[in-house]
Amino acid sequence: MTAQTIKSTCPYCGVGCGVLLTPDGQGGLAVKGDPDHPANFGRLCSKGSALGETVTLDERLLTPQVNGAATDWDSALDLVARKFRDTIDTYGPDSTAFYVSGQLLSEDYYVANKLMKGFIGSANIDTNSRLCMASSVAGHKRAFGTDTVPGTYEDLDEADLIVLVGSNLAWCHPVLHQRILAAKKKRGTKLVVIDPRRTNSCDGAEMHLAVAPGGDVPIFNRLLSAIHDRGHTDPDFLTHVEGAEAAFASAADQDITPTGLSEGAIEAFIDLWLSHEKVVTIYSQGVNQSSSGTDKVNAILNCHLATGRIGKQGCGPFSVTGQPNAMGGREVGGLANMLACHLDLENADHRAAVKDFWSAPAIPDAAGLKAVDMFRAVGEGRIKALWIIHTNPAVSMPDANAVRDAIAGCDFVVVSDITAQTDTARLADVILPATAWGEKEGTVTNSDRTISRQRTVLPAPDGTRPDWDILADVARRMGYGAAFDYASPAEIFREYAALSGIAGGFGRDFDISGLADLTDTEYSALEPTRWPVSDGKTGGRFFADGQFYHPGGKGRMIPVTYRAPAAKTARKYPFRLNTGRIRDQWHTMTRTALSPRLSAHLAEPFVEIHPEDAADLSIAPADLVTIQSPEGTAILRARITDTVQRGTTFAPMHWTGETAPSARIDALVAAVTDPISGQPESKAAVARLSRFDADWYAFAVSARPVAPDCAYWARARTHSGWRVELAGTGTIADWEAEARRLFDLPDLPALSLIDVQRGAARLAFYDGDTLVAALFVSRTPVAVMRDYLASLPSEGGPDVLSGRTPANRPDPGPVLCSCFSVGVNTILRAIETDGLMTVEAVGAALSAGTNCGSCKPEIAALLAQTNLRAAAE
Ligand SMILES: Nc1nc2c(c(=O)[nH]1)N[C@H]1C(S)=C(S)[C@@H](COP(=O)(O)OP(=O)(O)OC[C@H]3O[C@@H](n4cnc5c(=O)[nH]c(N)nc54)[C@H](O)[C@@H]3O)O[C@H]1N2
Ligand SMILES: Nc1nc2c(c(=O)[nH]1)N[C@H]1C(S)=C(S)[C@@H](COP(=O)(O)OP(=O)(O)OC[C@H]3O[C@@H](n4cnc5c(=O)[nH]c(N)nc54)[C@H](O)[C@@H]3O)O[C@H]1N2
Ligand code: SF4
Ligand SMILES: [Mo]
């Protein structure tokens, strides 16, 4: 039987790429970009390309657990239903809460929202989208009267100027970045990046404005003034907009000191903006995750509204969504302050219509607790039953230690996840094993409002159930049988689409009622479809016609003024801590860290420090650094680089108690939020840094997982096992005994080189002729060829103790191209020996960058570095 290829959608970022999946018959998948999908036309990034490596059942949870013991579904769900019912009966509906995720499929999300808002009767359902999109939602609603992205991905192909604000598109939406680079090549599109860091997204950019953290509003206020003063407003369009004069007035005479930029730099940006009609402003977490996030959004929207550059071909503000269904979550009403289908919780008519449609007993008339307040209420014992679905808040929430303690102290916590090995699941009373991507089906909506199908391609492992099914079953057990009697996602989708028709009737823009009568077969075959889909309107862009969704139908410009980040740097905490993402890991790493390829790009948590700050603090490359904030402490590897500004640092958000317990960066981030959106300020914590004085450092490779116990450790998967960095304080008298304990190898023979005087040890353990583990210890950061050693144990001969590659095998260096596993050193050698000058030439010589292309900006950076060096010589 030949394996069938199935079309589905990538489960990672909001680009929403179409994928072609072919099961290999052994549980694995071959993955290709879908050439027909309008989001990617066949392109994929490194994460999408490696999906086949992440569908392993290795760490999957395959049976429900209650208090750490396996149990059957009936017992687990009876317990969940009973505890929620008892809590509601005793303390009222608002003593319960759901914390859900922008990664849920729309059908799952719809059921969760219906259960909480319609039947439990509380609005205490919030989502990790609060940490992600809430400021964009609030900004959209203030300006447009609805939460709607005006444009489409085609605008990126047709723009003359694209401005990235607080978006590292090259790493976080790589396929869109490639789409922009393609447009650049084809029609000379110009690119500007506004980001305190010089990221890989600056590759190919005409201009990088290295704004001071939080300094965005003054830039866009300056732009708005220039639009006004130099006659670039669109008077016809402004007849459809209120508040223009107030916005112009508040932007006048804007002081640009907080931007940290020169007059000349800002003037050059304004010139570019005014001299190109077709401008798309893409923005993401550098804008949203701020205590003035909503104002930042409106500062950007003001400029597009004033010039009428919105919803037209090649023009518009473009909030790119993070998660695969961040947009769908907003559509189903997953946030605590929204109702389903863009209807408003505060609107009595809307509430009545939804109540009637659901035959619900009650719909709350006030917003529920937003994420940060929700976990505060958990900590204070006001929430007594909490269900966390498809998210890992013990890692990803600000003030993560407090959140961890709050969850641990809550009376009753349910976690639905695909693995029990997460910081959050380890705190739960009940863990419910969900069916994973590839095994389940439903729909997701991407950044440009395109609804795509995720389809089943692998059998669901025994013991798992899809999220919608778990939720509906609990609802039935709570006594809401009639309303949750779903047999399939298709049925849920039809109900949801029908409800959107009611929203359409109220004049709301989110209307997919044209899909309400899909048969199961039509649902199954649904092609990517951009909403709205109704009798009145299909696909397309919004607002160019001047039709907005405030009462009266006008759009609004909002006067905004600069506010500095909430946490203030001071002598005690002189550094600004910025946090975010790396190219090849997804959030808390429960899936991407299963892939050895993805784990090879940046195998360890790190903090980026400017060279002059590092010199002041006597921090050398590869040192460990203690980083402290008023909330918490972390230990991370120093990465000294001038891509960050002096006085600022950047650390990734990905590492957890499972992968590097000292590197949970949200332990340092204060739980301060934007007053309008409730979104936390994840990008502007304060911190102080010092060298972590370890007494010993070690590097290990092991065929089996290890769980060390020392001040610092970080582990990553390799093709043949694990690589682990370790460091600690105190003296270890017997390194062989220590290594045996670490690797759990009491009996195997070991080769060792131990120099007690110099505190150095090298040990290798063999099972027959096979190397199964090796440990390299030193008083200073260990200097061994890690990337060679990480290819062990499989190839380890007796010379492994040298820690160096055999003479005939040069060290490849850290993997840059994860598709073809090409290391930095290999690329540098080829550039130097073969005189390669372009990314294409590197591709032709080594294949690096020729598959998904996610590493092209990094190859370009290596080329630039070597050319600079050559020029200096
Ligand atoms: N590889 C990868 N891709 C992902 C994800 C992932 O985990 N890994 N997650 C997905 C999700 S859910 C999301 S939300 C998106 C996020 O995508 P992005 O928002 O692009 O990613 P971040 O790295 O969080 O932050 C973007 C940039 O904001 C900058 N920044 C910080 N402070 C400021 C400021 O004050 N002003 C400005 N202008 N910029 C600032 C940071 O330096 C950073 O480069 O990525 C999605 N894609
Ligand atoms: N400091 C700092 N903190 C941040 C950010 C930042 O930039 N800086 N970014 C914030 C943003 S934008 C986001 S979106 C969040 C993301 O943070 P989280 O949502 O906490 O991160 P994920 O790792 O995506 O968590 C998803 C969980 O769902 C599980 N899972 C996978 N598939 C399924 C499934 O089918 N069903 C169920 N039930 N579970 C499943 C995974 O194993 C994992 O445990 O982090 C936020 N936190
Ligand atoms: S850009 Fe990458 S992570 Fe995002 S949807 Fe496409 S393949 Fe998936
Ligand atoms: Mo996100």
Side-chain angles (χ1 to χ4, degrees):
M1 197 178 88
T2 51
Q4 207 193 340
T5 297
I6 290 178
K7 289 186 172 203
S8 188
T9 312
C10 175
Y12 298 123
C13 84
V15 178
C17 295
V19 287
L20 300 178
L21 305 174
T22 317
D24 65 8
Q26 283 146 13
L29 277 182
V31 182
K32 280 214 276 262
D34 178 353
D36 300 325
H37 197 289
N40 59 318
F41 297 110
R43 294 185 182 101
L44 287 183
C45 77
S46 48
K47 294 179 295 300
S49 304
L51 273 167
E53 286 180 26
T54 64
V55 290
T56 147
L57 296 184
D58 263 12
E59 294 186 0
R60 285 292 290 281
L61 175 67
L62 298 174
T63 168
Q65 293 195 356
V66 172
N67 298 326
T71 186
D72 58 276
W73 275 101
D74 270 336
S75 317
L77 296 189
D78 274 341
L79 178 69
V80 174
R82 183 161 49 80
K83 285 280 191 181
F84 269 83
R85 165 63 53 226
D86 288 352
T87 309
I88 294 162
D89 289 348
T90 315
Y91 301 101
D94 288 338
S95 63
T96 67
F98 292 173
Y99 183 64
V100 302
S101 167
Q103 295 167 63
L104 283 172
L105 304 179
S106 293
E107 293 76 2
D108 303 325
Y109 227 140
Y110 176 83
V111 176
N113 190 48
K114 179 177 175 183
L115 174 56
M116 184 47 89
K117 295 204 181 110
F119 290 81
I120 291 180
S122 166
N124 283 344
I125 172 170
D126 212 41
T127 131
N128 62 0
S129 286
R130 184 69 59 193
L131 320 178
C132 182
M133 304 313 303
S135 298
S136 279
V137 173
H140 284 156
K141 289 189 84 165
R142 279 208 297 190
F144 310 145
T146 179
D147 170 27
T148 300
V149 168
T152 70
Y153 289 156
E154 286 85 69
D155 295 328
L156 306 181
D157 310 330
E158 289 151 11
D160 295 327
L161 171 67
I162 295 179
V163 185
L164 301 183
V165 195
S167 153
N168 186 5
L169 211 68
W171 278 15
C172 296
H173 300 88
V175 163
L176 294 186
H177 190 245
Q178 287 175 31
R179 199 159 169 166
I180 293 173
L181 294 184
K184 222 173 152 49
K185 210 170 203 169
K186 193 161 155 225
R187 61 197 307 283
T189 311
K190 297 202 171 73
L191 183 63
V192 174
V193 178
I194 304 182
D195 193 310
R197 297 191 298 150
R198 192 172 73 248
T199 63
N200 280 110
S201 303
C202 298
D203 171 42
E206 271 66 28
M207 187 184 290
H208 170 216
L209 295 182
V211 63
D216 303 273
V217 163
I219 299 181
F220 286 91
N221 268 353
R222 261 298 170 91
L223 174 61
L224 188 66
S225 290
I227 287 169
H228 179 251
D229 298 346
R230 299 178 204 174
H232 286 269
T233 54
D234 178 340
D236 290 338
F237 194 76
L238 280 178
T239 60
H240 304 288
V241 177
E242 291 168 344
E245 286 314 316
F248 293 135
S250 111
D253 305 320
Q254 173 69 54
D255 172 19
I256 58 153
T257 318
T259 66
L261 299 165
S262 66
E263 286 283 349
I266 291 185
E267 199 45 47
F269 168 62
I270 291 174
D271 274 348
L272 263 184
W273 216 93
L274 296 182
S275 58
H276 293 86
E277 178 64 27
K278 290 183 170 180
V279 182
V280 174
T281 309
I282 293 182
Y283 56 96
S284 185
Q285 300 315 336
V287 169
N288 294 338
Q289 289 173 338
S290 158
S291 57
S292 55
T294 308
D295 283 351
K296 286 188 182 187
V297 169
N298 287 108
I300 294 170
L301 300 184
N302 282 347
C303 296
H304 284 274
L305 288 170
T307 50
R309 296 178 183 184
I310 190 163
K312 295 181 191 153
Q313 207 186 46
C315 285
F318 206 137
S319 150
V320 282
T321 48
Q323 301 177 91
N325 201 30
M327 190 69 93
R330 287 142 71 176
E331 292 153 13
V332 303
L335 292 156
N337 50 334
M338 296 173 25
L339 207 50
C341 300
H342 286 195
L343 292 167
D344 288 320
L345 205 58
E346 298 83 29
N347 183 313
D349 297 334
H350 291 186
R351 279 200 311 277
V354 176
K355 180 171 177 293
D356 189 44
F357 180 82
W358 280 344
S359 306
I363 303 254
D365 55 9
L369 294 172
K370 300 183 177 123
V372 168
D373 293 333
M374 181 183 282
F375 282 97
R376 235 170 237 150
V378 172
E380 290 164 7
R382 286 183 281 129
I383 301 285
K384 296 176 190 299
L386 172 67
W387 191 351
I388 299 168
I389 308 176
H390 210 322
T391 173
N392 193 359
V395 182
S396 57
M397 283 287 295
D399 205 359
N401 288 345
V403 169
R404 194 173 57 180
D405 294 347
I407 299 171
C410 183
D411 286 357
F412 186 66
V413 177
V414 186
V415 169
S416 301
D417 205 300
I418 56 169
T419 169
Q421 296 170 45
T422 77
D423 292 23
T424 305
R426 287 189 191 282
L427 305 171
D429 299 285
V430 179
I431 317 177
L432 302 173
T435 307
W437 176 84
E439 307 156 358
K440 61 176 181 182
E441 60 159 352
T443 55
V444 290
T445 312
N446 72 3
S447 295
D448 86 339
R449 289 179 276 111
T450 300
I451 299 171
S452 296
R453 289 277 282 114
Q454 276 193 14
R455 294 189 173 88
T456 307
V457 35
L458 296 168
D462 283 346
T464 67
R465 293 175 63 173
D467 287 298
W468 65 266
D469 183 36
I470 303 174
L471 281 155
D473 199 342
V474 168
R476 290 193 294 268
R477 286 167 205 258
M478 290 179 75
Y480 310 129
F484 292 89
D485 191 20
Y486 302 115
S488 68
E491 242 176 66
I492 303 168
F493 184 84
R494 284 189 289 266
E495 178 182 316
Y496 162 50
L499 178 56
S500 79
I502 294 179
F506 279 110
R508 306 313 292 167
D509 59 350
F510 177 73
D511 187 347
I512 55 167
S513 53
L515 303 174
D517 298 321
L518 293 186
T519 62
D520 286 2
T521 317
E522 286 165 341
Y523 173 75
S524 181
L526 184 68
E527 295 284 338
T529 305
R530 189 181 286 136
W531 66 257
V533 194
S534 65
D535 289 345
K537 195 168 177 189
T538 40
R541 301 177 173 86
F542 279 91
F543 312 131
D545 54 3
Q547 227 4 80
F548 292 90
Y549 292 82
H550 285 298
K554 288 197 175 182
R556 287 183 194 158
M557 286 170 62
I558 309 287
V560 288
T561 47
Y562 168 74
R563 288 196 315 278
K568 303 286 178 255
T569 51
R571 239 189 32 207
K572 194 159 178 211
Y573 298 105
F575 284 89
R576 188 61 74 193
L577 169 63
N578 176 6
T579 64
R581 289 156 175 81
I582 64 171
R583 193 191 76 194
D584 285 358
Q585 292 297 349
W586 178 259
H587 298 160
T588 69
M589 294 166 68
T590 59
R591 286 175 289 164
T592 39
L594 296 170
S595 157
R597 270 202 283 165
L598 296 179
S599 302
H601 178 235
L602 291 164
E604 199 187 3
F606 57 85
V607 54
E608 292 180 343
I609 309 170
H610 190 274
E612 289 168 31
D613 289 328
D616 288 351
L617 296 161
S618 307
I619 293 170
D623 274 350
L624 288 171
V625 175
T626 304
I627 169 159
Q628 283 171 286
S629 83
E631 281 69 30
T633 301
I635 303 173
L636 303 163
R637 187 74 62 183
R639 209 167 166 225
I640 299 175
T641 166
D642 66 2
T643 54
V644 291
Q645 303 178 23
R646 277 210 78 169
T648 73
T649 61
F650 174 83
M653 62 169 289
H654 305 290
W655 276 269
T656 69
E658 304 289 317
T659 46
S662 79
R664 296 169 58 252
I665 204 67
D666 267 305
L668 278 75
V669 176
V672 287
T673 56
D674 177 274
I676 301 164
S677 69
Q679 179 155 357
E681 185 150 67
S682 317
K683 298 272 185 270
V686 294
R688 68 166 173 271
L689 307 181
S690 58
R691 201 172 154 270
F692 173 72
D693 281 317
D695 294 315
W696 56 266
Y697 297 81
F699 176 73
V701 288
S702 167
R704 289 196 312 211
V706 293
D709 177 19
C710 52
Y712 174 80
W713 63 264
R715 67 178 182 193
R717 253 172 223 265
T718 64
H719 283 284
S720 42
W722 298 84
R723 58 190 283 180
V724 193
E725 300 282 350
L726 308 101
T729 49
T731 318
I732 290 180
D734 181 347
W735 272 107
E736 181 168 336
E738 187 64 24
R740 288 190 181 281
R741 223 179 358 256
L742 174 69
F743 298 127
D744 193 19
L745 296 173
D747 307 316
L748 286 187
L751 282 181
S752 64
L753 278 175
I754 296 185
D755 182 338
V756 178
Q757 204 82 50
R758 293 168 58 201
R762 295 184 168 207
L763 295 118
F765 294 84
Y766 291 86
D767 188 354
D769 286 341
T770 315
L771 178 87
V772 291
L775 180 72
F776 302 82
V777 185
S778 151
R779 277 199 193 125
T780 53
V782 178
V784 289
M785 291 184 173
R786 287 176 163 69
D787 301 285
Y788 160 65
L789 291 171
S791 70
L792 305 176
S794 58
E795 294 181 42
D799 60 345
V800 65
L801 289 189
S802 74
R804 307 187 68 77
T805 52
N808 61 352
R809 259 197 59 187
D811 177 24
V815 169
L816 201 86
C817 166
S818 34
C819 294
F820 295 106
S821 294
V822 189
V824 171
N825 295 348
T826 310
I827 296 174
L828 283 173
R829 269 192 302 273
I831 293 175
E832 275 164 25
T833 49
D834 303 341
L836 305 180
M837 304 290 280
T838 61
V839 176
E840 287 69 28
V842 171
L846 301 169
S847 300
T850 57
N851 182 41
C852 80
S854 300
C855 62
K856 281 181 171 176
E858 282 152 282
I859 299 176
L862 286 183
L863 282 161
Q865 241 175 50
T866 18
N867 293 343
L868 274 180
R869 215 167 42 228
E873 275 162 8

